[in-house]
Amino acid sequence: MESAIFVQNLHKTFRNGSSLKAVDGVSFEVAPGEIFSLLGPNGAGKTTTISMLSALLKPDNGATGANDIRIMGRSLITEPLAAKAMIGVVPQDIALYQDLSALENLIFWAKMYGLKGTLLKTRVAEVLDLIGLTDRANDRISKYSGGMKRRVNIGVALLHQPKVIYMDEPTVGIDPQSRRSILDGVIALKNQGMTVLYTTHYMEEAQELSDRIAIMDHGKIIANDSHENLIRLVGQKTRISLSINTEPETMIEPWKACKGVSTIAIEESKINLLVDDSNKVLPRLFETAAAKDVRITSVEIQEPNLETVFLHLTGRALRDA
Amino acid sequence: MLSILNIALKDLTQIVRDWKSFLFLLIMPIAFTFLFGIAFSGNSAKEQDLRLPVGIINHDNQSPLSQELEKSVSASKVIKLKSGEEEALINQVTQKNLTAALIIPAGYGESLKSATPLQLSLWVDGVSNDGLSAQTEINVQASRLFSAVQTAKVLAPEGGPAFDHVLMNALQEWKNPPVALSQEDASLKNADLQPVSEVDNNFTHSSPGMILQFAIAGLMSCAQVVVSERKNHCLQRLMTTSASRVQILLGHYLSLVLMIFAQFILLIIFGSLVLKLTYFSQPLATLLITLSASLGIAALGLLIGVAAKSEEQAIGVSMIFMFLFAGLGGAWVPLEFTGKTFQAIGHFTPLAWAMDGFKNILSRGLGLESAWLPAAALLGYAIVFFSLANWKFKTQ
Ligand SMILES: Nc1ncnc2c1ncn2[C@@H]1O[C@H](COP(=O)(O)OP(=O)(O)OP(=O)(O)O)[C@@H](O)[C@H]1O
Ligand SMILES: [Mg+2]
């Protein structure tokens, strides 16, 4: 079966003052009906990638081979209108007219997506219902809470019943309840057969929603697989995070030498380790510390997750990379 | 095409939603039209009183002929008569408070019928221009009276009621000149009409001036809509729809044109109904100027909206353009009152052309043919501003 989204060798360099390679040779494919997540820290290049996939940014002409973007088999480069008609875009920043009501916004955008007459009316009513704002439809967007704005922002992208939807960090800066309802909504879209390209820097979201996850860092996709397979990358390794009562550097060398420790790194005065089996390794860490007269002041043990995968692949934590 | 209309409609909803500033854009120009209109009316009243003050002492005020002379001099457009004591009036002439003092001697009226008429005496400052003008005017009036008496003497030598009748007719003839003079008279009338309408209507200048100034002020709200669309990421979202950049730009332009045109029409209707201005004496010319001015000013607004970095900047820049164009373009002080250089500089602004167009209609009473040149200039501005906006919009 043909891919819903096919991306090959995308590059983008921003040249304002210094030149910055925001996207560096990104390729991936998303099958129809899949939820595919781009997971990466701030500045990884997620939004830049999405912008190129929605024809807002022109990719650099790949010096290193042909680049291509196809949506449901239509090339965004040679048939932009046909390809764009397949896509609904939920931008990272709320893109609504603040001085118009939700209803007015939805009607305006529905017209811009080419809807007319009864279809327009039914779609606007359906979307209002879906985002749960039917009774607040006549309030101005500027009077809405952050979570409500986010829901309208998503609703607009669904009006023309696209085959493919891009959602760029749709849960940033909102309360847990709204977040929950958005995540449930994404799953409902998948169940209706929609293909979803989702970006986030919350690993829990990627883990819960995605059929496949691409981990992005510094403009490159460094891993791309299902959640289970990604976890398998780090083996059965567990992450241990420790604080000590003196300079963290003093314990780097001694602990690195311990049996069962595979990676060690310092993050914000904490020492992060990836170990094979925490039950066996932890006592050794305590012994080594005691021998050096260093006290361990806190211990945190984390079974493998995407965070550990990111740490394993980049040597940095996902949260504050 | 539908996208263009849809965007324009959305813009207008946003502009009108902010109804307070919309109202401001109608009330302010009306208030300022009155303010400037009244300021200028003071000026023209003074101009009207530029007649030369001449004192008169009539020692022969029982005689109908002497009365006739006094009447005709005081009806003159050059002279304004003041009566008083002989000595006091002559004093005022030497102090230059009066241009001249005219003394009609006793028995002057009767003497006109005789072979040796009495002389009028005129005290006048002989070296001044004004004095000469007064003297000439009085001479003209006196010799008219004298000729009328001569005519009557020839036609009714026996005197009596027949003489009076002929004399009256002859005097009347001076007021209703024969056919041969009528053409000259017609042109005179036309020339007179202009200052008269100016005096009658102080708003001939201030009404179009303020309409145009506040059309530019209206760009504040219109340009803001364009800026905020970009700021709140709606422009990016628009780009993910099938609308092209040119369509988006045209949509905004259409809303600006409609908005400014509506403002124009409302204020023009106010001007003709309440201020009794003659906008609708030449409806096609008024329409042509209004439309081309709307296109030009709207294109400026589009350029401001596309180029401004923030809403505040859009407001600030609109204000600067408003003051600059209104000041230089003659919306405040008529360019006719300024020097050649200033007039030339003023015509670098679209506003001066629009003012020309409107004043051709309102105060010069000209028709459609007088509107083509200003309209062409305004369309030129529309093309330049729109092209700049399009270029700026493309490179963003
Ligand atoms: N228009 C631009 N001009 C210059 N640099 C840009 C532009 N847009 C993005 N960048 C840079 O490109 C890099 C990638 O940015 P991008 O917005 O794609 O990251 P992201 O993964 O979406 O991050 P976030 O999670 O913060 O949204 C960043 O370093 C950013 O500063
Ligand atoms: Mg982003």
Side-chain angles (χ1 to χ4, degrees):
Chain A
M1 193 167 29
E2 190 155 29
S3 312
I5 308 173
F6 173 84
V7 178
Q8 191 179 44
N9 198 23
L10 285 191
H11 290 262
K12 186 74 200 178
T13 304
F14 288 112
R15 289 186 180 79
N16 29 8
S18 61
S19 75
L20 176 95
K21 192 121 209 188
V23 172
D24 190 2
V26 162
S27 306
F28 61 87
E29 282 181 55
V30 184
E34 235 184 353
I35 299 182
F36 183 86
S37 289
L38 287 175
L39 173 69
N42 294 128
K46 306 181 294 291
T47 300
T48 308
T49 304
I50 294 250
S51 298
M52 287 190 282
L53 296 192
S54 30
L56 286 176
L57 272 181
K58 223 169 94 68
D60 296 341
N61 289 321
T64 42
N67 51 14
D68 200 6
I69 302 167
R70 291 176 164 275
I71 316 293
M72 306 301 292
R74 309 289 196 128
S75 166
L76 196 66
I77 293 152
T78 57
E79 305 170 81
L81 284 185
K84 276 206 270 184
M86 305 282 178
I87 319 168
V89 185
V90 180
Q92 175 169 3
D93 304 298
I94 290 174
L96 299 167
Y97 296 103
Q98 301 283 330
D99 43 359
L100 300 181
S101 70
L103 184 64
E104 286 168 324
N105 266 285
L106 287 170
I107 292 175
F108 171 76
W109 290 110
K111 286 183 186 163
M112 291 312 294
Y113 283 120
L115 301 186
K116 295 190 194 71
T118 32
L119 179 63
L120 183 146
K121 282 199 193 114
T122 44
R123 278 309 292 159
V124 167
E126 279 169 17
V127 165
L128 272 174
D129 189 46
L130 186 74
I131 60 179
L133 288 172
T134 309
D135 40 337
R136 296 284 307 268
N138 288 312
D139 291 2
R140 288 189 200 181
I141 297 294
S142 56
K143 299 214 176 103
Y144 278 10
S145 72
M148 290 158 84
K149 287 181 191 174
R150 286 267 161 214
R151 272 138 72 189
V152 182
N153 200 38
I154 295 170
V156 168
L158 300 174
L159 284 164
H160 59 303
Q161 296 177 291
K163 296 267 191 303
V164 175
I165 184 160
Y166 304 157
M167 301 179 107
D168 194 0
E169 308 209 23
T171 58
V172 162
I174 58 173
D175 58 292
Q177 194 192 337
S178 298
R179 184 175 178 181
R180 189 64 256 159
S181 90
I182 287 174
L183 294 182
D184 290 344
V186 176
I187 293 166
L189 292 176
K190 176 199 159 77
N191 292 339
Q192 288 166 27
M194 218 179 253
T195 307
V196 182
L197 173 59
Y198 193 96
T199 82
T200 182
H201 59 255
Y202 297 125
M203 57 148 194
E204 306 85 352
E205 285 185 4
Q207 180 173 342
E208 179 188 339
L209 295 174
S210 319
D211 296 303
R212 281 187 308 126
I213 300 164
I215 299 180
M216 223 179 153
D217 190 39
H218 293 312
K220 289 193 165 85
I221 291 184
I222 52 177
N224 173 1
D225 216 325
S226 67
H227 181 242
E228 297 86 76
N229 288 346
L230 284 174
I231 299 295
R232 226 165 271 151
L233 271 183
V234 267
Q236 290 308 306
K237 288 193 173 66
T238 300
R239 181 184 171 202
I240 300 177
S241 187
L242 296 149
S243 321
I244 53 176
N245 67 345
T246 172
E247 292 297 307
E249 284 80 5
T250 44
M251 289 312 296
I252 293 283
E253 286 308 318
W255 278 348
K256 214 178 195 171
C258 284
K259 197 171 164 250
V261 172
S262 54
T263 341
I264 183 161
I266 300 173
E267 300 273 351
E268 289 178 351
S269 79
K270 285 202 167 195
I271 306 168
N272 296 323
L273 304 97
L274 284 182
V275 301
D276 293 329
D277 181 348
S278 55
N279 278 355
K280 289 191 182 139
V281 175
L282 262 180
R284 285 179 210 142
L285 296 180
F286 276 91
E287 276 168 30
T288 326
K292 293 235 159 205
D293 243 355
V294 171
R295 291 195 74 80
I296 294 174
T297 52
S298 82
V299 183
E300 196 188 315
I301 304 168
Q302 204 170 48
E303 291 295 307
N305 62 14
L306 290 171
E307 185 82 50
T308 0
V309 176
F310 192 82
L311 183 71
H312 172 74
L313 292 172
T314 66
R316 286 171 294 127
L318 178 57
R319 292 265 178 254
D320 30 43
Chain B
M1 189 60 209
L2 272 177
S3 316
I4 297 176
L5 285 179
N6 191 27
I7 291 171
L9 198 70
K10 185 271 304 167
D11 283 4
L12 288 175
T13 319
Q14 284 179 288
I15 294 166
V16 176
R17 175 129 317 165
D18 191 8
W19 62 270
K20 277 183 204 135
S21 41
F22 189 66
L23 208 62
F24 171 88
L25 291 176
L26 289 179
I27 289 175
M28 289 309 273
I30 290 175
F32 274 87
T33 302
F34 278 113
L35 195 73
F36 275 87
I38 288 160
F40 277 105
S41 78
N43 242 353
S44 48
K46 249 181 246 154
E47 268 172 348
Q48 201 185 8
D49 248 33
L50 285 180
R51 286 181 305 169
L52 305 170
V54 171
I56 184 159
I57 308 102
N58 192 348
H59 292 304
D60 191 32
N61 52 15
Q62 296 307 311
S63 145
L65 284 174
S66 294
Q67 282 169 13
E68 185 60 39
L69 178 65
E70 188 174 345
K71 221 166 76 191
S72 61
V73 170
S74 86
S76 141
K77 281 191 179 142
V78 183
I79 287 169
K80 190 169 69 180
L81 284 185
K82 280 186 166 179
S83 49
E85 292 296 314
E86 183 166 341
E87 210 156 312
L89 289 178
I90 292 168
N91 251 336
Q92 287 197 48
V93 174
T94 49
Q95 288 162 11
K96 299 201 195 302
N97 289 335
L98 288 176
T99 312
L102 170 67
I103 299 156
I104 303 176
Y108 172 75
E110 273 313 301
S111 79
L112 283 181
K113 296 176 190 169
S114 71
T116 52
L118 292 172
Q119 288 287 310
L120 290 171
S121 43
L122 188 67
W123 291 84
V124 67
D125 177 3
V127 287
S128 84
N129 239 335
D130 285 355
L132 247 91
S133 309
Q135 191 175 357
T136 314
E137 179 67 13
I138 289 165
N139 267 336
V140 167
Q141 298 302 336
S143 51
R144 279 179 183 179
L145 184 64
F146 184 64
S147 343
V149 172
Q150 293 308 311
T151 315
K153 247 166 74 179
V154 173
L155 293 178
E158 67 283 357
F163 176 89
D164 287 346
H165 180 73
V166 174
L167 178 67
M168 277 305 136
N169 273 348
L171 282 171
Q172 198 58 43
E173 280 312 303
W174 282 109
K175 284 169 197 155
N176 295 331
V179 185
L181 279 174
S182 74
Q183 199 182 350
E184 195 188 344
D185 197 37
S187 71
L188 256 172
K189 245 191 204 158
N190 249 349
D192 278 351
L193 211 76
Q194 195 177 325
V196 166
S197 79
E198 195 101 40
V199 171
D200 278 353
N201 205 325
N202 308 311
F203 306 113
T204 316
H205 179 83
S206 69
S207 166
M210 292 305 110
I211 291 178
L212 287 164
Q213 173 177 339
F214 283 91
I216 301 181
L219 298 183
M220 279 190 276
S221 21
C222 301
Q224 267 187 84
V225 167
V226 179
V227 175
S228 75
E229 176 173 284
R230 190 170 68 242
K231 290 252 133 186
N232 62 30
H233 313 285
C234 287
L235 179 59
Q236 290 226 335
R237 179 168 241 158
L238 275 175
M239 299 302 297
T240 70
T241 71
S242 60
S244 66
R245 272 180 189 270
V246 175
Q247 283 176 323
I248 296 171
L249 203 61
L250 282 174
H252 292 317
Y253 187 48
L254 182 61
S255 76
L256 275 151
V257 172
L258 289 176
M259 167 73 199
I260 293 168
F261 189 71
Q263 192 190 1
F264 266 119
I265 293 297
L266 287 175
L267 290 171
I268 283 177
I269 289 175
F270 175 85
S272 54
L273 291 185
V274 180
L275 307 178
K276 306 279 181 244
L277 291 169
T278 56
Y279 283 110
F280 290 120
S281 65
Q282 296 292 340
L284 283 180
T286 300
L287 183 68
L288 186 63
I289 296 296
T290 307
L291 204 58
S292 52
S294 305
L295 288 169
I297 294 174
L300 174 67
L302 193 67
L303 179 58
I304 296 174
V306 168
K309 298 224 164 17
S310 64
E311 280 98 330
E312 292 73 31
Q313 202 180 52
I315 294 174
V317 172
S318 303
M319 293 294 276
I320 291 171
F321 272 108
M322 180 184 91
F323 286 125
L324 201 68
F325 281 6
L328 290 179
W332 300 334
V333 177
L335 284 184
E336 304 89 275
F337 290 8
T338 65
K340 280 267 174 283
T341 328
F342 194 90
Q343 286 185 19
I345 293 171
H347 279 82
F348 278 108
T349 71
L351 217 120
W353 292 98
M355 282 305 286
D356 283 354
F358 279 126
K359 291 185 81 177
N360 281 346
I361 300 162
L362 294 180
S363 60
R364 295 173 198 126
L366 299 173
L368 189 57
E369 67 288 346
S370 74
W372 290 116
L373 179 65
L378 288 166
L379 286 180
Y381 280 103
I383 291 167
V384 170
F385 289 144
F386 187 90
S387 309
L388 284 174
N390 187 33
W391 167 75
K392 184 78 192 153
F393 196 57
K394 259 195 213 141
T395 54
Q396 264 164 8

